[in-house]
Amino acid sequence: MTPSPLRTTLRQDTHDAHARVDALLGGGIADLETYQRYLGGMQRFLAACEDALLPAWPMAPLQALLADDMRALAVGPTPSLAAPLPATDEPSRLGVAYVVGGASVGARQLARQAEALGFGPGRAASFLHVFAQGSMWNGVLASLDAARLDPHQTDRCRAAAVATFATAEAAFGGLEELR
């Protein structure tokens, strides 16, 4: 399947930001501490993205699983980021969804890493497994394929994706205080 031109544009325009976020995750979930930090970062990230994704991609069910996993591992609530992501139109929401949905693809490897540490569905990794196995990414891909954006709308979609990666960077970058 050939990626849509919009998907290709988003991938190119967010490549460096994506690499910075991946570097913050430091190779994934190697131990309990890195898993706790991942959960805290995801809580901050999803909370900042939630309103921008509504109504097409509700995050509340995932956030409930995330909160349960955090409680199971004694991870307290993380401080909120300064401001949630604004997404005032469909192109902007699609840019946010591109990044959040893409995170679900990366969650597949993280779920395997968590499982190797003894965490799984019902064992403090329900969020990770549901997020990894969910259909959000396929929905985002379908939306990207169907999108007929003019140049201004494409710019708003790209700007939202870049801003969402910056939000992820902020969410995961401040996690040293969770140690």
Side-chain angles (χ1 to χ4, degrees):
M1 176 174 168
T2 303
S4 72
L6 181 57
R7 180 179 173 197
T8 300
T9 296
L10 292 172
R11 185 177 24 205
Q12 290 170 348
D13 289 356
T14 61
H15 179 269
D16 291 345
H18 192 169
R20 287 191 304 271
V21 171
D22 283 349
L24 287 171
L25 294 173
I29 298 170
D31 53 29
L32 175 61
E33 183 179 297
T34 57
Y35 183 44
Q36 289 170 315
R37 287 199 330 258
Y38 167 79
L39 292 174
M42 282 306 291
Q43 180 191 45
R44 291 168 62 146
F45 177 60
L46 292 180
C49 296
E50 182 175 25
D51 288 344
L53 293 170
L54 293 173
W57 292 287
M59 293 287 108
L62 282 172
Q63 287 180 324
L65 291 172
L66 181 57
D68 289 345
D69 291 345
M70 289 175 70
R71 274 190 296 280
L73 295 176
V75 178
T78 57
S80 297
L81 296 173
L85 278 168
T88 57
D89 59 16
E90 287 306 311
S92 297
R93 279 191 259 305
L94 187 54
V96 174
Y98 169 78
V99 178
V100 176
S104 72
V105 175
R108 295 171 189 166
Q109 177 181 350
L110 297 176
R112 287 189 296 274
Q113 292 170 346
E115 203 160 301
L117 295 172
F119 305 111
R123 295 183 326 274
S126 295
F127 160 78
L128 193 51
H129 282 270
V130 169
F131 189 49
Q133 295 171 4
S135 62
M136 184 178 184
W137 182 239
N138 289 334
V140 170
L141 292 179
S143 295
L144 290 170
D145 287 344
R148 301 294 175 253
L149 304 182
D150 65 35
H152 297 295
Q153 292 170 321
T154 299
D155 287 344
R156 288 195 306 275
C157 183
R158 270 197 316 251
V162 169
T164 305
F165 268 112
T167 298
E169 198 169 353
F172 287 98
L175 294 178
E176 291 305 311
E177 77 261 11
L178 297 179
R179 285 184 173 199

